[in-house]
Amino acid sequence: MLAAATLLTSCQSILDQSYQADLKPSSNPQIVDTVQKNDPRAAMGAREHPRILASYGGEYHDAKTERLVARITGALTAVSENPNQSYRITILNSPAINAFALPGGYLYVTRGLLALANDASEVAAVLSHEMAHVTANHGIERQKREEAEVIASRVVAEVLSSDLAGKQALARGKLRLAAFSRQQELQADVIGVRMLGEAGYDAYAAARFLDSMAAYARFSSVDPENDQSLDFLSSHPNAPQRVELARQHARAFGQEGTVGDKGRDYYLNGIDGLLYGDSPEEGYVRNETFLHAGLGIRFDVPEGFRIDNKAEAVLATGPDETAIRFDGVEGSDTQSLTNYLTSGWVAGLQPNTVREITVNGLPAANAKASAERWDFDVTVIRMDKRIFRFLTAVPKGNSTLQATAETIRNSFRKITPQEAADLKPLRVRVVTAQQGDTITTLSARMMGTDRKLDLFRVLNALPTGASITPGQRLKIISD
C-alpha cells in the first residue's frame, strides 16, 4: 500500500470527500519508489525492511483492510509536518500489538493492533505518532546513537551452546525499533494529536487507545506487572501522566465527545473478517493447546500457562518463572536421538541423565541440563524426518521441573486427519446486537479462549458495568 504525499496535498478533510465525475487516473502516476529514489533516509529504511518482514511474519494481504489503512494514512499525510514526505505502509502478519516507523517513511502496523482498535481515529492516533517520529527525524538521531541489535530470549541465551550462529537461528531476531528518548516520545505525542485533530479525527483517540492497550496487556499477561509481550507498550512508555498529557493536547480541539470523527462504522467494515491470532502457517493456539495441521502435531501445557506462538518457536510461560520452548528441526530418520542430544547444541547437558524413551509411540530421548541460575529438562522426539524439541526451564532448585516437563511431553502426539480438517483460523467478526442480546450472550460466541467475557470486553473497550443496546456493532472472535 502506498500513501504518497504528493498526491494527497489537495485532499479535503476526511469528513468532506465528495465524488467528482471528471476524475481519472494520472497518465504519469507518482509512486513511492520514484519519490524516494534519491532519499538517503529511505535507503536506511529499505535496508531494514526485509528484517522487519522476517521478524513479524511477512505482510498481511487483504484488499479491504489495506484500503482502510491507506485511507487513514492519506488523511494524516495531508496535515503532516512535512506534506512532501512520502510513506510506504505495511500491515504485518502478526498477532502482536505494535506499530513503528523507520527513516524514510516506512510505516508498519500489525493486524493484531488493527483487531484491538475500535475505530479509525484510534488507528490514526497510532499512525500519526509514528509519522511524527519520521517527520522529526527521530529515527536518524536514534541510528546515530546505536546500531539495531538482535535481542535473544533469556532462556535461549543461557541453555544453548556459545555458538552465536546457533543462538541467532533459534532466537527471534528483533530490532530495537522504538528506542526513542522520553523527549522524542512526548514530542511525537504532541505532533500526533495535532495531526489527529487537523485531519478531522477524534483527537482524544490517542488517550483512549493507550487505555485499551493497557487493558489488553492486563488480560493477556500471566504477570501483568512484568509482562513484555505487548510490543507497543514495551517500547512506548504508557505512564498515566502520558495518557493525561494526550488528553490535555486534545482539549485544544474542543471538549471530549463533541469534536472529531471516530470513523467507527467504516472501520468495523474494513476489519470484518480480519485474521485473528495465529496464522495457519505457524499453527494454532487454542486455550492451553498448540496444534499444527501442516506438521500434524499437538501438545498441551499445564493449566495456568500462557502460550506465545512465535515465528521461530512456541514459547510458554507459567508460575514461578517457569518457561517452555518448543521447536522443530530437520533430522535424519536413522540418527540416534541420544547422540543428537549430546551433539553440543545444549550447554550444560548432564551426560549421566541422557536416556531413550518413547512418547505416545514415537521414539524420543530425554536429559537434564543446568546453566547459571536455571535447571532444564530437554526432550527430543522424532516424527518422520523431523526432530521436535522441548526445553523446560525453572529457577535452580524448583521442584516442579520434572512434573511440568512430563505433562508437556506426554501430551505430544500426532493429530488425526479429522482434527487437522477441523482446524480453521480465527477471525474478527463484526456482529450487530439484537433485542435481548447482552454482553454475556454475545461473549459466549467467542472462540479461541476460555476467558470469553474478559476478551470480549477488552476487544470492544467495554468497562465493567457497561451494557449494550440493540443495533450496536461489536467484535467477536470466531472461525
Side-chain angles (χ1 to χ4, degrees):
M1 291 179 297
L2 306 178
T6 51
L7 298 180
L8 295 167
T9 52
S10 62
C11 286
Q12 302 284 322
S13 159
I14 59 169
L15 300 177
D16 180 20
Q17 297 178 348
S18 56
Y19 174 72
Q20 298 180 41
D22 60 343
L23 288 178
K24 60 182 180 180
S26 168
S27 58
N28 184 30
Q30 295 292 301
I31 62 173
V32 169
D33 286 337
T34 301
V35 175
Q36 295 184 339
K37 186 174 182 180
N38 298 312
D39 184 352
R41 296 168 301 176
M44 294 171 63
R47 285 196 300 270
E48 300 300 334
H49 180 69
R51 297 176 64 185
I52 303 301
L53 296 182
S55 293
Y56 281 86
E59 294 186 48
Y60 177 74
H61 292 293
D62 178 86
K64 181 174 64 173
T65 308
E66 291 174 53
R67 286 194 298 269
L68 169 68
V69 176
R71 174 179 178 176
I72 296 170
T73 309
L76 294 170
T77 303
V79 297
S80 71
E81 297 279 295
N82 179 10
N84 293 319
Q85 172 69 57
S86 57
Y87 293 95
R88 180 191 300 260
I89 183 160
T90 302
I91 302 175
L92 295 169
N93 188 21
S94 169
I97 295 175
N98 207 0
F100 43 86
L102 294 178
Y106 282 76
L107 297 180
Y108 303 87
V109 61
T110 60
R111 57 175 171 80
L113 188 145
L114 298 179
L116 180 62
N118 276 283
D119 57 52
S121 69
E122 292 182 353
V123 174
V126 172
L127 291 178
S128 63
H129 176 98
E130 300 305 331
M131 292 168 76
H133 282 310
V134 173
T135 57
N137 285 323
H138 289 165
I140 303 293
E141 296 173 21
R142 179 188 62 207
Q143 196 142 351
K144 289 177 181 177
R145 295 197 311 269
E146 63 177 337
E147 293 295 321
E149 64 178 299
V150 175
I151 301 175
S153 73
R154 176 177 58 185
V155 171
V156 171
E158 293 187 3
V159 69
L160 296 180
S161 68
S162 60
D163 174 53
L164 180 61
K167 288 183 180 179
Q168 290 178 337
L170 290 169
R172 183 182 184 214
K174 185 173 181 181
L175 301 175
R176 293 179 62 182
L177 296 168
F180 294 116
S181 70
R182 176 176 174 79
Q183 188 58 36
Q184 288 173 329
E185 291 289 357
L186 293 176
Q187 183 183 7
D189 282 347
V190 174
I191 296 171
V193 171
R194 180 199 61 75
M195 290 171 62
L196 266 182
E198 292 189 2
Y201 283 114
D202 175 11
Y204 291 88
R208 191 169 66 246
F209 193 52
L210 281 170
D211 285 339
S212 285
M213 287 190 288
Y216 185 83
R218 291 190 295 270
F219 163 83
S220 61
S221 175
V222 172
D223 182 357
E225 299 303 317
N226 296 305
D227 183 61
Q228 294 295 306
S229 65
L230 193 72
D231 289 358
F232 191 87
L233 292 187
S234 298
S235 55
H236 296 69
N238 188 36
Q241 56 266 36
R242 185 171 173 226
V243 178
E244 181 53 35
L245 282 172
R247 287 197 171 92
Q248 289 180 20
H249 298 318
R251 290 183 190 123
F253 294 92
Q255 185 177 351
E256 187 169 4
T258 65
V259 294
D261 177 36
K262 291 184 177 180
R264 179 170 169 83
D265 278 337
Y266 75 77
Y267 183 78
L268 291 178
N269 291 341
I271 65 166
D272 191 15
L274 180 75
L275 186 65
Y276 183 84
D278 305 312
S279 63
E281 294 78 14
E282 294 179 2
Y284 300 104
V285 175
R286 296 291 186 266
N287 301 327
E288 288 153 346
T289 301
F290 175 77
L291 308 99
H292 199 300
L295 297 176
I297 61 169
R298 62 168 288 163
F299 64 85
D300 305 316
V301 298
E303 185 177 354
F305 277 65
R306 174 191 165 194
I307 301 177
D308 194 6
N309 186 17
K310 302 294 188 182
E312 83 297 339
V314 179
L315 307 177
T317 52
D320 303 322
E321 296 187 274
T322 304
I324 301 160
R325 178 187 173 89
F326 169 81
D327 65 8
V329 295
E330 295 296 329
S332 165
D333 56 1
T334 59
Q335 180 183 11
S336 164
L337 290 177
T338 54
N339 288 344
Y340 176 75
L341 263 182
T342 57
S343 61
W345 63 277
V346 178
L349 189 76
Q350 300 170 2
N352 61 317
T353 65
V354 176
R355 61 195 180 106
E356 287 188 355
I357 59 173
T358 58
V359 173
N360 289 318
L362 298 169
N366 173 256
K368 298 293 189 293
S370 182
E372 296 190 20
R373 68 185 190 93
W374 298 94
D375 288 331
F376 299 92
D377 183 280
V378 187
T379 298
V380 293
I381 305 169
R382 177 186 290 120
M383 201 169 85
D384 300 323
K385 291 187 178 181
R386 197 165 187 86
I387 297 175
F388 295 101
R389 312 186 297 190
F390 285 101
L391 298 176
T392 304
V394 299
K396 268 194 180 299
N398 190 313
S399 61
T400 64
L401 176 60
Q402 183 171 343
T404 302
E406 285 182 355
T407 298
I408 296 161
R409 69 168 169 262
N410 290 340
S411 71
F412 181 91
R413 65 173 176 82
K414 294 181 179 181
I415 62 174
T416 67
Q418 187 58 51
E419 285 177 316
D422 290 342
L423 279 177
K424 296 178 182 177
L426 297 178
R427 297 187 181 275
V428 175
R429 302 295 184 188
V430 178
V431 298
T432 302
Q434 305 298 314
Q435 193 70 38
D437 276 335
T438 66
I439 289 178
T440 301
T441 61
L442 288 178
S443 64
R445 297 165 61 181
M446 298 278 284
M447 297 176 62
T449 178
D450 56 357
R451 299 163 60 197
K452 297 182 178 183
L453 180 59
D454 291 339
L455 183 58
F456 180 79
R457 287 186 183 278
V458 169
L459 288 181
N460 291 286
L462 296 171
T464 302
S467 59
I468 61 175
T469 58
Q472 187 174 352
R473 302 181 73 198
L474 297 146
K475 295 178 291 182
I476 65 170
I477 305 303
S478 185
D479 55 17

